[in-house]
Structure formats: structure tokens, C-alpha cells
Amino acid sequence: MQYDIDRLNRQLDADGQITYVRGPGDLVIAEIANEAASASVSLYGGHVLSYRRHEGQPVLWLSGKSWYEIGKPIRGGIPVCWPWFGAHPTDPSLPGHGLARIHCWEVLEAAAPAPGVTVLTLGLRNSPETLNLWPFPFSLRLRVTVGSTLRLDLTTENPGHRAITLTQALHTYFAISDIARIRVEGFDGCPFIDTVGGANRIGTQQGDITFSEETDLVLLECPGDACVVDPGLGRRIRIAKEGSRSGVVWNPWIAKSARMPDFGDNEYPGMVCVETTNAPGDEAVIDPGQSTTLTAIILTDDLVSARGD
Ligand code: TA6
């Protein structure tokens, strides 16, 4: 897709709160800044790359080794995994985590509805290329709301005559102080599938999730909020959601990091994924003419507790 940056900056700048620039790999990036926060969004992949409140620290993690190349996913930020999560259920030759994050999205709308709030809406529709990957017509919209919180609404409309079944994720990479010092709250008592090494071991989460090795958990029956508690950075990151009863918590640790060319060998301590999903077992089914929305709301607040954690 060719972008007319001058037109974008003239017509879709949200009253001057969005500037479109050419970034790494010549990808077009929407740089968002208002009185509350700043963010950046790659039009390739519909991919939120960064977010921070002015008084806060960066919330999202990006690999220093990420690709910025059409056809390859960006490593970090908030990849849009759609219309399947993980490997394709029947054809392993198809792109992992679906097609949305490796296609160029168009800018549908840009608005500044209130002080300290900027809304950027991106769209992706079926094309001959997507139909080769996934044989269904679709209209996908990602609404990114940047303010004192970061909100993503991923809406799929089914314009076709057949029901469609999605697995999907807002695959958020959070910036943390040290994977060995943080914990993830919100999944106590939830059934999980441990997918490390393809074992797919079933279990039930006991208490908070902490990390001492590669961790790759698909958690089910978890409609509530999750929270990354980071004593090192003195903050909590809360992840609220709508349209999801599942989640994924992932850190590649040492060996898997070394196997990923777009992930630095020593980067794993500084990130954790807490993903807002419709994972397998929590699929979204959309009847003809209907739509479904997956929402993630990210809030940060300072860590103040009697325990001093
Ligand atoms: O969400 C966890 C996961 O499915 C991991 O298994 C790991 O593969 C990660 O996603 C990253 O996948 P990617 O295709 O972006 O390398």
C-alpha cells in the first residue's frame, strides 16, 4: 500500500496531535502526542510501537533487533494477531499469528475528542492476497485511544455469507525492570495450557505468575483484569479487557531468545508479554453481518503498598 504522507498530515492529523513520518525500514509511523501522553503506531501491521504518559516511563517494550520489513512482524509493542493465534490450526506453512500484523493498514479516522485524548482508527479489508491466506471477506478496524490510559479496540465485521471463527490476540509486550523480580496477578485459579516445548501440559494457576524459566501459558476462564507488578520500576501495569475470557503470559528466557534472530540474546529480562486474547478454547464466532470486538485497556500507576513491594 502506498501512503500519501502529505495528505495524511493535512487531513488526518487529529488537530495537530498526530504527525506521520517515515520510520525504520521506511515504514509510515503515526506519532501521537497530547497533554496526557505520547505514542507511536506503525501503519504496517496496525502495530502500536510505544506508549507513555508524560509523567511516566515507557510502558511497551520493543526489541533492538526487530525487523522493520514488509512481510516480517515487528518484535515488541502490541502485535495484532488475527485471524488466528499462534500457528495456523491446519497449515503450518501459513504465517504464525495470522495475516493482520504483516499487512499495511489504512488510516480511517483521526480525532481529538477531549483534552488529553487522541483517537486513531486504522482499517484492513480482505484483498486477493489475504483471501489466499484466509478464504473469508472481512473488515477489520483497530481503534487506538491514547490518553492517561491506552485503549485498543479490535473490531472484526463479517460481511460474508458464512460464519467465521477467530482466534486473536492483542499480543502486548510490556517493558519491565527484571523478569526475575516481577509478578503477574489476575490468573489465580485459572486453568492453563503450558505450551513450552509443545508439551501442552494442563494445570491450574496457583497464585501470582512469577518467572524463573521460559514461560508460555495460555490461560482460560479469566475474564478479569491482569496486573504486572514491578517493584524495580515502582509501578503496576493493569490490563483490563472486554470480549476475552483467555490470556497468554510469555517470556522466552535464554534458549528461545537465542533462537529468535529479531530478539536480542540479553533482552528477555526486560520484557514480559501479557496478552489479551481469544485463544483456542475461547474462540470468537461471528455470524454473517455481525461483528465482534476485542478490547484491551492499559493503565499504569505507582506502586505504593504497605508491604513496600
Ligand atoms: O504468545 C506467545 C507466543 O505464541 C509464543 O509461543 C511465541 O511464539 C510468541 O508468541 C511470539 O510469536 P512470534 O510469531 O511473534 O515470534
Side-chain angles (χ1 to χ4, degrees), residues 272-304:
V272 68
C273 283
V274 179
E275 303 161 35
T276 302
T277 67
N278 290 124
D282 176 34
E283 292 83 359
V285 179
I286 316 172
D287 288 332
Q290 301 301 307
S291 66
T292 190
T293 297
L294 177 65
T295 296
I297 305 163
I298 296 167
L299 314 88
T300 58
D301 43 45
D302 293 341
L303 194 56
V304 178

Side-chain angles (χ1 to χ4, degrees), residues 23-47:
D26 217 26
L27 300 181
V28 176
I29 311 294
E31 294 185 344
I32 299 169
N34 60 44
E35 61 191 53
S38 62
S40 60
V41 184
S42 165
L43 303 191
Y44 169 64
H47 197 128

Side-chain angles (χ1 to χ4, degrees), residues 191-196 198-204 213 216-218:
F192 66 71
I193 303 162
D194 178 347
T195 63
V196 172
N200 288 354
R201 181 176 61 84
I202 308 293
T204 301
E213 59 186 347
D216 197 346
L217 297 175
V218 177

Side-chain angles (χ1 to χ4, degrees), residues 67 73-76 79 81 85-87 95-98 101 169 171-173 195-196 214-218 247-252 256 260 262-263 273-275 277:
W67 293 307
I74 296 168
R75 176 68 66 193
C81 301
F85 177 81
H97 285 321
R101 66 177 184 168
H171 189 301
T172 309
Y173 288 74
T195 63
V196 172
E214 181 183 347
T215 303
D216 197 346
L217 297 175
V218 177
V248 172
V249 175
W250 176 58
N251 183 281
K256 185 157 186 176
M260 294 187 285
D262 61 335
F263 198 113
C273 283
V274 179
E275 303 161 35
T277 67

